Amino acid sequence: RVFLVDVDARTWSEIEHPEGLEMDLLGVSELGELYIQTLKVRANQQNAAFWIELWDRSTGIWSRLMESPRKEIAETVQFFWKKDDSTYWMGSESGLAEYQVGSRSWKVRISGVDQIPGGAIHYLEMADGRIWVAGQRFISEYQQGPWKIVQGGFERPTSMLEGADGSIWVTSA
């Protein structure tokens, strides 16, 4: 369930999908629209369909953007991020998925494969274009090539931030 909260009035309004689908909030677009993952359970319960949709609060219009990647990723989403006009990234405890708008396809990297150990729980895009992804025990870096482990030995990193001077801050459990 997704709620809109008016902090000043202390009111909560539930957002309902027009098809009555289950929803998870993924993030906010640069225009203020909501990225929402919807779930449509099919009759046999084995073959669920996950979709990424955009909801425009000002118009109430829903737009279906793409089908979510493999069930292992879609069920445990930790982040969803629009890198640029041609690429979206989705991370989960199971791995990382990258969506290419032009080809309308996902490239899925399950944990332990393609050098992303421990899933993708948090991400950080640095000012110089490098991307760090934190998994269960490792931080990996992507810079237009293979993934490289930056640092290991973390106990489940909980956040990553870049300071104004370029320093990186990491917290872990």
Side-chain angles (χ1 to χ4, degrees), residues 2 41 43 45 66 93 95 106 122 125 134 136 149 151 163 171:
V2 176
V41 179
Q45 299 287 326
M66 64 197 74
E93 292 179 1
W106 287 97
H122 296 282
E125 181 178 26
Q136 306 251 354
I149 293 176
Q151 183 68 41
T171 59

Side-chain angles (χ1 to χ4, degrees), residues 72-92:
E72 304 87 48
I73 299 281
E75 283 186 323
T76 61
V77 174
Q78 298 292 315
F79 66 82
F80 181 79
W81 164 53
K82 182 178 181 181
K83 181 177 180 342
D84 51 41
D85 287 339
S86 64
T87 311
Y88 292 87
W89 292 50
M90 178 185 284
S92 79

Side-chain angles (χ1 to χ4, degrees), residues 94-113:
S94 300
L96 181 72
E98 178 183 358
Y99 183 80
Q100 293 295 320
V101 174
S103 63
R104 299 179 62 92
S105 64
W106 287 97
K107 181 175 183 180
V108 177
R109 297 172 176 99
I110 295 297
S111 182
V113 178

Side-chain angles (χ1 to χ4, degrees), residues 9-21:
R10 296 185 181 255
T11 58
W12 296 65
S13 304
E14 185 171 1
I15 311 284
E16 293 188 24
H17 191 277
E19 297 174 36
L21 302 178

